[in-house]
Amino acid sequence: MKKLLILIIPLFCITGCSHKEVVTIIENDKELISINYPVTNVGALDDAVSSYVNQIYTNFKKGSQKEKTPELNISYTYKELNESVINISLNTEIKTDKKINKIKTFTYDKNTHKFLSMEDIIEDLDVLDYDIKQKLLEKYQEADMDFLSNVSYDYFTIDDENLTIYFGPAILKNKTNEIIYLDIPLNSLKLLIDIDKSKNTDIYLNIKKKNIDYNDRIVALTFDDGPSRYTSKILDVLKKYDACGTFFVIGNKVDFYDETLTRMLKEGSEIGNHSYSHKWLNRLSREEFERELNKTQEEVQKATGFTPKLFRPTYGGYSDRLKSYTDLYFVLWDVDSRDWKVKSKDKILRNVLPNVKDGSIVLMHDNHAYAANAIETVVKSLKDKGYKFVTVSELLELKKLRENE
Ligand code: ZN
Protein backbone atom coordinates (compact mmCIF):
# COMPACT_ATOMS: atom_id res chain seq x y z
CA MET A 1 0.00 0.00 0.00
CA LYS A 2 2.73 2.44 0.93
CA LYS A 3 4.69 1.62 -2.19
CA LEU A 4 1.67 2.60 -4.20
CA LEU A 5 1.61 5.98 -2.53
CA ILE A 6 4.85 6.99 -4.20
CA LEU A 7 3.60 5.91 -7.59
CA ILE A 8 0.16 7.38 -7.39
CA ILE A 9 0.80 10.89 -6.20
CA PRO A 10 3.00 12.08 -9.08
CA LEU A 11 0.81 10.41 -11.68
CA PHE A 12 -2.24 12.06 -10.23
CA CYS A 13 -0.53 15.39 -10.32
CA ILE A 14 0.53 15.25 -13.92
CA THR A 15 -3.09 15.05 -14.93
CA GLY A 16 -4.84 16.50 -11.92
CA CYS A 17 -3.14 19.72 -10.86
CA SER A 18 -1.43 22.60 -12.52
CA HIS A 19 0.84 23.79 -9.72
CA LYS A 20 4.22 22.46 -8.87
CA GLU A 21 4.40 20.93 -5.43
CA VAL A 22 6.49 18.85 -3.08
CA VAL A 23 5.54 15.30 -2.23
CA THR A 24 6.41 14.23 1.31
CA ILE A 25 6.41 10.66 2.52
CA ILE A 26 7.06 10.09 6.21
CA GLU A 27 6.93 6.62 7.73
CA ASN A 28 7.65 5.78 11.31
CA ASP A 29 7.01 2.06 11.62
CA LYS A 30 9.90 -0.37 11.47
CA GLU A 31 11.99 2.13 9.60
CA LEU A 32 12.32 5.87 9.74
CA ILE A 33 11.61 7.20 6.29
CA SER A 34 11.44 10.81 5.21
CA ILE A 35 11.27 11.63 1.52
CA ASN A 36 10.72 15.07 0.00
CA TYR A 37 10.83 15.57 -3.73
CA PRO A 38 9.44 18.14 -6.14
CA VAL A 39 6.73 17.56 -8.72
CA THR A 40 7.00 20.07 -11.55
CA ASN A 41 4.19 19.01 -13.88
CA VAL A 42 6.77 18.46 -16.59
CA GLY A 43 6.04 14.84 -17.44
CA ALA A 44 9.44 13.46 -18.44
CA LEU A 45 11.24 15.19 -15.57
CA ASP A 46 8.67 14.07 -12.99
CA ASP A 47 8.82 10.51 -14.30
CA ALA A 48 12.61 10.45 -13.99
CA VAL A 49 12.57 11.91 -10.47
CA SER A 50 9.77 9.71 -9.12
CA SER A 51 11.11 6.49 -10.62
CA TYR A 52 14.55 7.23 -9.11
CA VAL A 53 12.92 7.85 -5.70
CA ASN A 54 10.78 4.76 -6.04
CA GLN A 55 13.78 2.61 -6.85
CA ILE A 56 15.69 3.83 -3.77
CA TYR A 57 12.61 3.37 -1.56
CA THR A 58 12.00 -0.18 -2.80
CA ASN A 59 15.62 -1.23 -2.38
CA PHE A 60 15.74 0.28 1.10
CA LYS A 61 12.60 -1.59 2.17
CA LYS A 62 14.05 -4.83 0.83
CA GLY A 63 17.39 -4.50 2.55
CA SER A 64 16.63 -2.78 5.82
CA GLN A 65 14.71 -5.40 7.84
CA LYS A 66 17.56 -6.76 9.91
CA GLU A 67 19.01 -3.45 11.03
CA LYS A 68 18.21 -1.49 14.16
CA THR A 69 16.27 1.73 13.38
CA PRO A 70 17.25 1.93 9.73
CA GLU A 71 16.74 5.36 8.25
CA LEU A 72 16.18 6.63 4.73
CA ASN A 73 16.23 10.35 4.08
CA ILE A 74 15.81 12.00 0.69
CA SER A 75 15.88 15.78 0.33
CA TYR A 76 16.12 17.92 -2.77
CA THR A 77 17.27 21.17 -4.29
CA TYR A 78 15.21 22.83 -7.01
CA LYS A 79 16.24 25.70 -9.25
CA GLU A 80 14.72 27.21 -12.34
CA LEU A 81 17.88 28.27 -14.17
CA ASN A 82 15.76 30.32 -16.57
CA GLU A 83 12.24 30.14 -18.00
CA SER A 84 12.78 26.77 -19.63
CA VAL A 85 15.57 24.94 -17.76
CA ILE A 86 14.99 23.22 -14.41
CA ASN A 87 17.79 21.76 -12.30
CA ILE A 88 16.91 19.31 -9.50
CA SER A 89 19.16 17.38 -7.16
CA LEU A 90 18.10 14.51 -4.92
CA ASN A 91 20.26 13.90 -1.89
CA THR A 92 19.91 10.42 -0.41
CA GLU A 93 21.18 9.40 3.01
CA ILE A 94 20.80 5.83 4.16
CA LYS A 95 21.77 4.91 7.70
CA THR A 96 21.80 1.18 8.37
CA ASP A 97 24.85 -0.78 9.46
CA LYS A 98 26.63 1.21 6.79
CA LYS A 99 26.09 4.81 5.78
CA ILE A 100 25.33 5.77 2.21
CA ASN A 101 25.29 9.33 0.95
CA LYS A 102 24.62 10.06 -2.66
CA ILE A 103 23.44 12.75 -5.01
CA LYS A 104 21.62 12.46 -8.30
CA THR A 105 20.83 15.49 -10.43
CA PHE A 106 18.45 16.19 -13.30
CA THR A 107 18.63 19.15 -15.68
CA TYR A 108 15.74 19.44 -18.10
CA ASP A 109 14.85 21.88 -20.84
CA LYS A 110 11.08 22.30 -21.13
CA ASN A 111 11.35 23.94 -24.57
CA THR A 112 13.42 21.25 -26.26
CA HIS A 113 12.04 18.41 -24.08
CA LYS A 114 15.58 17.21 -23.39
CA PHE A 115 17.68 16.37 -20.38
CA LEU A 116 20.81 18.53 -20.48
CA SER A 117 24.35 17.50 -19.71
CA MET A 118 27.15 19.79 -18.60
CA GLU A 119 28.31 20.07 -22.25
CA ASP A 120 24.98 21.70 -23.03
CA ILE A 121 25.52 24.35 -20.37
CA ILE A 122 29.26 25.06 -20.21
CA GLU A 123 31.30 26.11 -23.22
CA ASP A 124 34.78 24.60 -23.72
CA LEU A 125 34.30 21.81 -21.24
CA ASP A 126 37.37 20.01 -22.62
CA VAL A 127 39.50 23.07 -21.78
CA LEU A 128 37.97 23.30 -18.33
CA ASP A 129 38.52 19.60 -17.74
CA TYR A 130 42.20 20.05 -16.77
CA ASP A 131 41.31 22.81 -14.33
CA ILE A 132 38.61 20.74 -12.66
CA LYS A 133 41.01 17.84 -12.09
CA GLN A 134 43.69 20.14 -10.64
CA LYS A 135 41.16 21.64 -8.25
CA LEU A 136 39.92 18.19 -7.23
CA LEU A 137 43.49 17.16 -6.44
CA GLU A 138 43.96 20.29 -4.35
CA LYS A 139 40.74 19.71 -2.43
CA TYR A 140 41.01 15.93 -2.05
CA GLN A 141 44.64 14.91 -1.48
CA GLU A 142 43.75 11.24 -1.69
CA ALA A 143 42.12 11.52 -5.13
CA ASP A 144 42.98 8.60 -7.38
CA MET A 145 44.69 9.83 -10.58
CA ASP A 146 43.71 6.71 -12.56
CA PHE A 147 40.07 7.29 -11.82
CA LEU A 148 40.34 11.01 -12.43
CA SER A 149 41.57 10.53 -15.99
CA ASN A 150 38.25 8.93 -16.92
CA VAL A 151 35.98 10.95 -14.71
CA SER A 152 32.71 12.20 -16.22
CA TYR A 153 30.65 15.16 -15.16
CA ASP A 154 27.20 13.64 -14.98
CA TYR A 155 25.83 15.33 -11.89
CA PHE A 156 25.80 19.04 -11.21
CA THR A 157 23.73 21.81 -9.68
CA ILE A 158 23.80 25.54 -10.31
CA ASP A 159 22.92 28.27 -7.84
CA ASP A 160 23.33 32.05 -8.09
CA GLU A 161 27.07 31.83 -7.50
CA ASN A 162 28.46 28.40 -8.34
CA LEU A 163 28.37 25.44 -10.60
CA THR A 164 28.74 22.46 -8.26
CA ILE A 165 29.91 19.15 -9.72
CA TYR A 166 29.38 15.89 -7.80
CA PHE A 167 31.60 12.83 -8.00
CA GLY A 168 31.21 9.22 -6.96
CA PRO A 169 33.27 7.86 -4.03
CA ALA A 170 35.44 5.88 -6.49
CA ILE A 171 37.58 8.92 -7.25
CA LEU A 172 39.14 8.70 -3.79
CA LYS A 173 41.58 5.95 -2.83
CA ASN A 174 40.09 5.76 0.63
CA LYS A 175 36.38 5.42 0.15
CA THR A 176 34.26 7.85 2.10
CA ASN A 177 30.55 8.19 2.60
CA GLU A 178 30.73 11.97 2.33
CA ILE A 179 29.53 13.62 -0.85
CA ILE A 180 32.50 14.58 -3.02
CA TYR A 181 31.95 17.85 -4.84
CA LEU A 182 33.64 20.84 -6.35
CA ASP A 183 32.32 24.42 -6.53
CA ILE A 184 33.28 26.48 -9.57
CA PRO A 185 32.31 30.18 -9.55
CA LEU A 186 29.87 30.90 -12.36
CA ASN A 187 31.67 34.12 -13.26
CA SER A 188 34.75 32.09 -14.22
CA LEU A 189 32.77 30.06 -16.77
CA LYS A 190 31.48 30.62 -20.25
CA LEU A 191 27.84 29.64 -20.14
CA LEU A 192 25.75 28.44 -23.08
CA ILE A 193 22.45 29.31 -21.41
CA ASP A 194 21.21 32.36 -19.54
CA ILE A 195 20.83 31.93 -15.81
CA ASP A 196 18.29 34.08 -13.99
CA LYS A 197 19.21 35.25 -10.52
CA SER A 198 16.83 34.31 -7.71
CA LYS A 199 14.47 37.09 -6.78
CA ASN A 200 14.80 38.49 -3.30
CA THR A 201 11.57 39.48 -1.70
CA ASP A 202 11.32 41.69 1.33
CA ILE A 203 8.21 40.96 3.32
CA TYR A 204 7.37 41.54 6.89
CA LEU A 205 4.31 40.23 8.61
CA ASN A 206 3.06 40.09 12.15
CA ILE A 207 0.97 37.30 13.55
CA LYS A 208 -2.59 38.56 13.92
CA LYS A 209 -3.42 39.17 17.57
CA LYS A 210 -6.53 37.53 18.94
CA ASN A 211 -8.78 38.48 21.80
CA ILE A 212 -8.64 35.52 24.11
CA ASP A 213 -10.13 35.79 27.54
CA TYR A 214 -7.95 34.60 30.34
CA ASN A 215 -10.52 32.00 31.37
CA ASP A 216 -11.43 30.73 27.91
CA ARG A 217 -11.02 27.06 27.23
CA ILE A 218 -8.14 26.96 24.75
CA VAL A 219 -6.74 24.44 22.33
CA ALA A 220 -3.83 24.59 19.87
CA LEU A 221 -4.10 22.61 16.64
CA THR A 222 -0.71 21.74 15.19
CA PHE A 223 0.20 20.44 11.75
CA ASP A 224 3.50 18.74 10.92
CA ASP A 225 5.37 17.75 7.76
CA GLY A 226 3.88 20.39 5.45
CA PRO A 227 3.42 22.63 3.72
CA SER A 228 1.76 20.80 0.87
CA ARG A 229 -1.15 21.11 -1.53
CA TYR A 230 -3.48 20.13 1.39
CA THR A 231 -2.40 23.04 3.57
CA SER A 232 -4.60 25.63 1.89
CA LYS A 233 -7.65 23.40 2.38
CA ILE A 234 -6.89 23.39 6.12
CA LEU A 235 -6.37 27.16 6.07
CA ASP A 236 -9.76 27.60 4.35
CA VAL A 237 -11.47 25.75 7.22
CA LEU A 238 -9.54 27.62 9.93
CA LYS A 239 -10.53 30.91 8.31
CA LYS A 240 -14.17 29.91 8.01
CA TYR A 241 -14.42 29.22 11.76
CA ASP A 242 -12.15 32.08 12.83
CA ALA A 243 -9.68 29.50 14.11
CA CYS A 244 -5.93 29.16 13.72
CA GLY A 245 -3.19 26.58 13.87
CA THR A 246 0.53 26.16 14.27
CA PHE A 247 2.29 24.71 11.24
CA PHE A 248 5.60 22.98 11.90
CA VAL A 249 7.11 23.12 8.44
CA ILE A 250 9.87 21.14 6.79
CA GLY A 251 12.39 23.73 5.60
CA ASN A 252 13.21 21.85 2.41
CA LYS A 253 9.68 22.59 1.11
CA VAL A 254 9.22 26.19 2.16
CA ASP A 255 10.44 27.77 -1.06
CA PHE A 256 7.70 26.00 -3.05
CA TYR A 257 4.94 27.30 -0.77
CA ASP A 258 5.95 30.83 0.20
CA GLU A 259 2.44 32.15 -0.50
CA THR A 260 0.88 29.49 1.73
CA LEU A 261 3.24 30.48 4.54
CA THR A 262 2.47 34.15 4.13
CA ARG A 263 -1.22 33.30 4.28
CA MET A 264 -0.78 31.34 7.53
CA LEU A 265 0.63 34.40 9.27
CA LYS A 266 -1.86 36.85 7.77
CA GLU A 267 -4.76 34.75 8.99
CA GLY A 268 -3.48 34.40 12.53
CA SER A 269 -1.73 31.05 12.41
CA GLU A 270 1.86 30.49 13.48
CA ILE A 271 4.84 28.86 11.77
CA GLY A 272 7.17 26.56 13.69
CA ASN A 273 10.34 24.77 12.68
CA HIS A 274 10.26 21.01 11.96
CA SER A 275 13.89 20.73 10.73
CA TYR A 276 15.13 21.05 7.17
CA SER A 277 15.03 17.49 5.88
CA HIS A 278 13.28 15.53 8.63
CA LYS A 279 16.13 13.36 9.80
CA TRP A 280 16.10 11.44 13.07
CA LEU A 281 17.72 14.06 15.25
CA ASN A 282 19.22 11.93 18.01
CA ARG A 283 21.68 10.59 15.47
CA LEU A 284 23.00 13.99 14.42
CA SER A 285 26.11 15.80 15.56
CA ARG A 286 25.68 19.27 17.02
CA GLU A 287 26.72 20.83 13.68
CA GLU A 288 24.30 18.70 11.68
CA PHE A 289 21.47 19.45 14.11
CA GLU A 290 22.16 23.18 14.02
CA ARG A 291 22.25 23.12 10.24
CA GLU A 292 18.84 21.38 10.14
CA LEU A 293 17.38 24.11 12.37
CA ASN A 294 19.13 27.14 10.94
CA LYS A 295 18.41 26.34 7.30
CA THR A 296 14.70 26.16 8.10
CA GLN A 297 14.84 29.42 10.07
CA GLU A 298 16.46 31.05 7.03
CA GLU A 299 13.93 29.61 4.58
CA VAL A 300 10.96 30.81 6.64
CA GLN A 301 12.52 34.25 7.13
CA LYS A 302 13.24 34.53 3.42
CA ALA A 303 9.68 33.53 2.50
CA THR A 304 7.78 35.55 5.12
CA GLY A 305 10.03 37.79 7.23
CA PHE A 306 8.85 35.85 10.28
CA THR A 307 11.30 34.05 12.57
CA PRO A 308 9.97 30.83 14.15
CA LYS A 309 10.38 30.47 17.89
CA LEU A 310 9.08 26.94 18.25
CA PHE A 311 10.56 23.62 17.24
CA ARG A 312 8.88 20.27 16.90
CA PRO A 313 11.35 17.37 16.91
CA THR A 314 11.00 14.93 14.02
CA TYR A 315 9.47 11.57 14.92
CA GLY A 316 8.86 13.16 18.36
CA GLY A 317 12.41 12.18 19.34
CA TYR A 318 14.76 14.53 21.23
CA SER A 319 17.14 14.73 24.16
CA ASP A 320 18.48 17.26 26.65
CA ARG A 321 21.66 17.33 24.58
CA LEU A 322 19.72 18.57 21.53
CA LYS A 323 17.69 21.02 23.61
CA SER A 324 20.86 22.63 24.91
CA TYR A 325 21.97 23.47 21.35
CA THR A 326 19.16 25.90 20.53
CA ASP A 327 16.97 28.67 21.90
CA LEU A 328 13.96 27.37 20.00
CA TYR A 329 11.26 26.03 22.31
CA PHE A 330 10.56 22.30 21.91
CA VAL A 331 6.85 21.60 21.46
CA LEU A 332 5.33 18.12 21.72
CA TRP A 333 1.60 17.31 22.03
CA ASP A 334 -0.88 15.61 24.37
CA VAL A 335 -3.48 14.61 21.77
CA ASP A 336 -2.30 12.53 18.81
CA SER A 337 -4.70 12.19 15.86
CA ARG A 338 -2.52 9.40 14.39
CA ASP A 339 -3.95 10.61 11.09
CA TRP A 340 -1.08 9.28 8.96
CA LYS A 341 -1.67 5.80 10.38
CA VAL A 342 -5.47 5.48 10.77
CA LYS A 343 -6.21 7.45 7.60
CA SER A 344 -10.01 7.51 8.09
CA LYS A 345 -11.87 10.62 9.14
CA ASP A 346 -13.93 8.75 11.77
CA LYS A 347 -10.86 7.31 13.47
CA ILE A 348 -9.16 10.69 13.47
CA LEU A 349 -12.22 12.23 15.14
CA ARG A 350 -12.25 9.41 17.70
CA ASN A 351 -8.58 9.97 18.49
CA VAL A 352 -8.97 13.71 18.84
CA LEU A 353 -12.37 14.88 20.08
CA PRO A 354 -12.79 12.89 23.34
CA ASN A 355 -9.20 13.63 24.38
CA VAL A 356 -9.02 17.40 24.00
CA LYS A 357 -9.06 19.33 27.27
CA ASP A 358 -8.35 22.94 28.19
CA GLY A 359 -4.76 23.71 27.13
CA SER A 360 -4.37 20.72 24.79
CA ILE A 361 -1.97 20.60 21.88
CA VAL A 362 -3.30 18.40 19.07
CA LEU A 363 -0.97 16.70 16.57
CA MET A 364 -2.05 16.38 12.93
CA HIS A 365 -0.22 16.35 9.60
CA ASP A 366 -0.78 18.48 6.53
CA ASN A 367 1.30 16.49 4.04
CA HIS A 368 -1.58 14.22 3.08
CA ALA A 369 -5.37 14.42 2.71
CA TYR A 370 -6.39 12.63 5.93
CA ALA A 371 -6.30 15.53 8.38
CA ALA A 372 -7.52 17.93 5.69
CA ASN A 373 -10.63 15.75 5.30
CA ALA A 374 -11.32 15.67 9.04
CA ILE A 375 -10.39 19.23 9.98
CA GLU A 376 -13.78 20.86 9.45
CA THR A 377 -15.51 18.44 11.85
CA VAL A 378 -12.66 18.78 14.37
CA VAL A 379 -12.84 22.57 14.37
CA LYS A 380 -16.64 22.76 14.36
CA SER A 381 -17.03 20.22 17.19
CA LEU A 382 -14.45 21.90 19.40
CA LYS A 383 -15.93 25.32 18.71
CA ASP A 384 -19.39 24.00 19.66
CA LYS A 385 -17.91 22.77 22.93
CA GLY A 386 -16.74 26.33 23.63
CA TYR A 387 -13.07 26.03 22.77
CA LYS A 388 -11.08 29.01 21.52
CA PHE A 389 -8.29 28.27 19.08
CA VAL A 390 -4.86 29.68 19.80
CA THR A 391 -1.38 29.24 18.38
CA VAL A 392 1.13 27.32 20.47
CA SER A 393 2.94 30.56 21.41
CA GLU A 394 -0.34 32.07 22.60
CA LEU A 395 -1.18 28.89 24.50
CA LEU A 396 2.19 28.95 26.28
CA GLU A 397 1.74 32.63 27.13
CA LEU A 398 -1.74 32.06 28.55
CA LYS A 399 -0.59 29.07 30.58
CA LYS A 400 2.22 31.15 32.05
CA LEU A 401 -0.23 33.92 33.00
CA ARG A 402 -2.51 31.41 34.68
CA GLU A 403 0.37 29.83 36.61
CA ASN A 404 1.50 33.21 37.90
CA GLU A 405 -1.89 34.05 39.27
ZN1 ZN B 1 7.32 15.02 11.15
Side-chain angles (χ1 to χ4, degrees), residues 312-349:
R312 169 152 292 157
T314 54
Y315 305 109
Y318 69 99
S319 64
D320 288 341
R321 175 183 76 97
L322 293 174
K323 270 185 162 177
S324 73
Y325 296 157
T326 174
D327 291 334
L328 293 180
Y329 188 86
F330 280 51
V331 178
L332 295 173
W333 55 87
D334 61 289
V335 179
D336 188 350
S337 69
R338 297 187 59 71
D339 49 2
W340 64 277
K341 184 95 183 160
V342 300
K343 297 185 171 79
S344 92
K345 178 179 165 182
D346 286 348
K347 286 181 186 162
I348 293 172
L349 298 177

Coordinates of all heavy atoms in Angstrom, one line a residue, residues 312-349:
R312 N 9.4 21.6 16.6 CA 8.9 20.3 16.9 C 9.9 19.2 16.4 O 10.2 19.2 15.2 CB 7.5 20.1 16.2 CG 7.1 18.6 16.3 CD 5.6 18.5 16.3 NE 4.9 19.0 17.5 CZ 3.6 19.3 17.5 NH1 2.9 19.2 16.4 NH2 3.1 19.7 18.6
P313 N 10.4 18.4 17.3 CA 11.4 17.4 16.9 C 10.7 16.3 16.0 O 9.6 15.9 16.2 CB 11.8 16.7 18.2 CG 10.8 17.1 19.2 CD 10.1 18.4 18.8
T314 N 11.5 15.9 15.0 CA 11.0 14.9 14.0 C 10.8 13.6 14.7 O 11.6 13.2 15.6 CB 12.0 14.8 12.9 OG1 13.3 14.5 13.5 CG2 12.1 16.0 12.1
Y315 N 9.8 12.9 14.3 CA 9.5 11.6 14.9 C 9.3 11.7 16.4 O 9.3 10.7 17.2 CB 10.5 10.5 14.6 CG 10.9 10.3 13.2 CD1 12.1 10.7 12.6 CD2 10.0 9.7 12.3 CE1 12.4 10.6 11.3 CE2 10.2 9.5 10.9 CZ 11.5 10.0 10.4 OH 11.8 9.8 9.1
G316 N 9.1 12.9 16.9 CA 8.9 13.2 18.4 C 10.1 12.8 19.2 O 10.0 12.7 20.4
G317 N 11.2 12.6 18.6 CA 12.4 12.2 19.3 C 13.4 13.3 19.6 O 13.8 14.0 18.7
Y318 N 13.8 13.5 20.9 CA 14.8 14.5 21.2 C 15.5 14.2 22.5 O 15.1 13.2 23.2 CB 14.1 15.9 21.4 CG 13.2 16.0 22.6 CD1 13.6 16.6 23.7 CD2 11.9 15.4 22.5 CE1 12.8 16.6 24.9 CE2 11.1 15.4 23.6 CZ 11.5 16.0 24.8 OH 10.7 16.1 25.9
S319 N 16.4 15.0 22.9 CA 17.1 14.7 24.2 C 17.5 16.1 24.8 O 17.4 17.1 24.1 CB 18.4 13.9 23.9 OG 19.3 14.7 23.0
D320 N 18.0 16.0 26.0 CA 18.5 17.3 26.6 C 19.7 17.8 25.9 O 19.9 19.0 25.8 CB 18.9 17.0 28.1 CG 17.6 16.8 29.0 OD1 16.5 17.2 28.5 OD2 17.7 16.2 30.1
R321 N 20.5 16.9 25.4 CA 21.7 17.3 24.6 C 21.2 18.2 23.4 O 21.7 19.4 23.3 CB 22.4 16.1 24.0 CG 23.5 16.4 23.1 CD 24.2 15.1 22.5 NE 23.4 14.5 21.4 CZ 23.6 14.7 20.1 NH1 24.6 15.5 19.7 NH2 22.8 14.1 19.2
L322 N 20.2 17.8 22.7 CA 19.7 18.6 21.5 C 19.1 19.9 22.0 O 19.3 20.9 21.4 CB 18.7 17.8 20.7 CG 19.2 16.6 20.0 CD1 18.1 15.8 19.3 CD2 20.3 16.9 18.9
K323 N 18.3 19.8 23.1 CA 17.7 21.0 23.6 C 18.7 22.1 24.0 O 18.5 23.3 23.8 CB 16.9 20.7 24.9 CG 15.4 20.3 24.6 CD 14.7 20.1 25.9 CE 13.2 20.1 25.8 NZ 12.6 19.9 27.1
S324 N 19.9 21.7 24.5 CA 20.9 22.6 24.9 C 21.5 23.3 23.7 O 22.2 24.3 23.9 CB 21.9 21.9 25.8 OG 22.8 21.2 24.9
Y325 N 21.3 22.9 22.5 CA 22.0 23.5 21.4 C 21.2 24.6 20.7 O 21.6 25.2 19.8 CB 22.2 22.4 20.3 CG 23.1 21.3 20.6 CD1 23.0 20.1 20.0 CD2 24.1 21.4 21.6 CE1 23.9 19.0 20.3 CE2 24.9 20.4 22.0 CZ 24.8 19.2 21.3 OH 25.6 18.1 21.6
T326 N 20.0 24.9 21.2 CA 19.2 25.9 20.5 C 18.3 26.7 21.5 O 17.9 26.2 22.6 CB 18.3 25.2 19.4 OG1 17.4 26.2 18.9 CG2 17.4 24.1 20.0
D327 N 17.9 27.9 21.1 CA 17.0 28.7 21.9 C 15.5 28.4 21.5 O 14.6 28.8 22.2 CB 17.2 30.2 21.7 CG 18.5 30.6 22.3 OD1 19.0 29.9 23.3 OD2 19.1 31.6 21.9
L328 N 15.3 27.7 20.4 CA 14.0 27.4 20.0 C 13.3 26.5 21.1 O 13.9 25.7 21.7 CB 13.9 26.6 18.7 CG 14.4 27.4 17.4 CD1 14.3 26.5 16.2 CD2 13.6 28.6 17.2
Y329 N 12.0 26.7 21.3 CA 11.3 26.0 22.3 C 10.7 24.7 21.8 O 10.0 24.7 20.7 CB 10.1 26.9 22.8 CG 9.4 26.4 24.0 CD1 9.9 26.6 25.3 CD2 8.3 25.6 23.9 CE1 9.2 26.1 26.4 CE2 7.6 25.1 25.0 CZ 8.1 25.3 26.2 OH 7.4 24.8 27.3
F330 N 11.0 23.6 22.4 CA 10.6 22.3 21.9 C 9.1 22.1 22.3 O 8.7 22.2 23.4 CB 11.4 21.2 22.5 CG 12.7 21.0 21.9 CD1 13.6 22.0 21.7 CD2 13.1 19.7 21.4 CE1 14.8 21.9 21.1 CE2 14.4 19.5 20.8 CZ 15.2 20.6 20.7
V331 N 8.3 21.8 21.3 CA 6.8 21.6 21.5 C 6.4 20.2 21.1 O 6.6 19.7 20.0 CB 6.0 22.6 20.6 CG1 4.6 22.4 20.8 CG2 6.4 24.0 20.9
L332 N 5.9 19.4 22.0 CA 5.3 18.1 21.7 C 3.8 18.2 21.7 O 3.3 19.2 21.2 CB 5.8 17.1 22.7 CG 7.3 16.9 22.7 CD1 7.8 16.0 23.8 CD2 7.8 16.3 21.3
W333 N 3.1 17.3 22.1 CA 1.6 17.3 22.0 C 1.0 16.4 23.1 O 1.8 15.6 23.7 CB 1.1 16.8 20.6 CG 1.7 15.4 20.3 CD1 1.1 14.3 20.7 CD2 2.9 15.1 19.7 NE1 1.9 13.2 20.3 CE2 3.0 13.7 19.7 CE3 3.9 15.9 19.1 CZ2 4.1 13.0 19.1 CZ3 5.0 15.2 18.6 CH2 5.1 13.8 18.5
D334 N -0.2 16.6 23.5 CA -0.9 15.6 24.4 C -2.0 14.9 23.7 O -2.5 13.9 24.2 CB -1.3 16.3 25.7 CG -2.4 17.4 25.4 OD1 -2.0 18.4 24.8 OD2 -3.6 17.2 25.7
V335 N -2.4 15.3 22.5 CA -3.5 14.6 21.8 C -2.9 14.3 20.4 O -2.5 15.2 19.6 CB -4.8 15.5 21.6 CG1 -5.8 14.7 20.8 CG2 -5.3 15.8 23.0
D336 N -2.9 13.0 20.1 CA -2.3 12.5 18.8 C -3.4 12.0 17.9 O -4.1 11.0 18.2 CB -1.3 11.4 19.1 CG -0.5 11.0 17.8 OD1 -0.9 11.5 16.7 OD2 0.5 10.3 18.0
S337 N -3.6 12.6 16.8 CA -4.7 12.2 15.9 C -4.3 10.9 15.2 O -5.2 10.1 14.7 CB -4.9 13.2 14.8 OG -3.8 13.3 13.9
R338 N -3.0 10.6 15.1 CA -2.5 9.4 14.4 C -3.1 9.3 13.0 O -3.3 8.3 12.4 CB -2.8 8.1 15.2 CG -2.1 8.1 16.5 CD -2.2 6.7 17.2 NE -1.6 5.6 16.5 CZ -0.3 5.4 16.3 NH1 0.6 6.3 16.7 NH2 0.1 4.3 15.6
D339 N -3.3 10.5 12.4 CA -4.0 10.6 11.1 C -3.2 9.8 10.0 O -3.8 9.2 9.2 CB -4.1 12.1 10.7 CG -2.9 12.9 10.9 OD1 -1.8 12.4 11.2 OD2 -2.9 14.1 10.6
W340 N -1.9 9.9 10.0 CA -1.1 9.3 9.0 C -1.2 7.8 9.0 O -1.1 7.1 8.0 CB 0.4 9.7 9.1 CG 1.0 9.2 10.3 CD1 1.0 9.8 11.6 CD2 1.8 8.0 10.5 NE1 1.7 9.0 12.5 CE2 2.2 7.9 11.9 CE3 2.2 6.9 9.7 CZ2 2.9 6.9 12.4 CZ3 3.0 5.9 10.2 CH2 3.3 5.9 11.6
K341 N -1.6 7.2 10.2 CA -1.7 5.8 10.4 C -3.1 5.3 10.2 O -3.4 4.3 9.5 CB -1.2 5.5 11.8 CG -1.1 4.0 12.2 CD 0.3 3.5 11.9 CE 0.3 2.0 12.2 NZ 1.5 1.4 11.6
V342 N -4.1 6.0 10.8 CA -5.5 5.5 10.8 C -6.2 5.9 9.5 O -7.2 5.3 9.1 CB -6.3 5.9 12.0 CG1 -5.7 5.4 13.3 CG2 -6.5 7.5 12.1
K343 N -5.7 7.0 8.9 CA -6.2 7.4 7.6 C -7.7 7.9 7.5 O -8.0 8.8 6.8 CB -5.9 6.4 6.5 CG -4.4 6.2 6.3 CD -4.2 5.2 5.1 CE -2.7 5.2 4.7 NZ -1.9 4.3 5.6
S344 N -8.6 7.2 8.3 CA -10.0 7.5 8.1 C -10.4 8.7 9.0 O -9.9 8.9 10.1 CB -10.9 6.3 8.4 OG -11.2 6.3 9.8
K345 N -11.4 9.4 8.4 CA -11.9 10.6 9.1 C -12.5 10.2 10.5 O -12.2 10.9 11.5 CB -12.9 11.3 8.3 CG -13.6 12.5 8.9 CD -14.6 13.1 7.9 CE -15.5 14.1 8.7 NZ -16.5 14.7 7.9
D346 N -13.3 9.2 10.5 CA -13.9 8.8 11.8 C -12.9 8.4 12.9 O -13.1 8.8 14.0 CB -14.8 7.5 11.5 CG -16.1 7.9 10.8 OD1 -16.4 9.2 10.7 OD2 -16.8 7.0 10.3
K347 N -11.9 7.7 12.5 CA -10.9 7.3 13.5 C -10.1 8.5 14.0 O -9.7 8.6 15.1 CB -9.9 6.3 12.9 CG -10.6 4.9 12.8 CD -9.6 3.9 12.2 CE -10.3 2.5 12.0 NZ -9.5 1.7 11.1
I348 N -9.8 9.5 13.1 CA -9.2 10.7 13.5 C -10.0 11.4 14.5 O -9.5 11.9 15.5 CB -8.9 11.6 12.2 CG1 -7.8 10.9 11.3 CG2 -8.4 13.0 12.7 CD1 -7.6 11.6 10.0
L349 N -11.3 11.5 14.2 CA -12.2 12.2 15.1 C -12.2 11.5 16.5 O -12.2 12.2 17.5 CB -13.6 12.3 14.6 CG -13.8 13.1 13.2 CD1 -15.2 13.0 12.7 CD2 -13.4 14.5 13.4

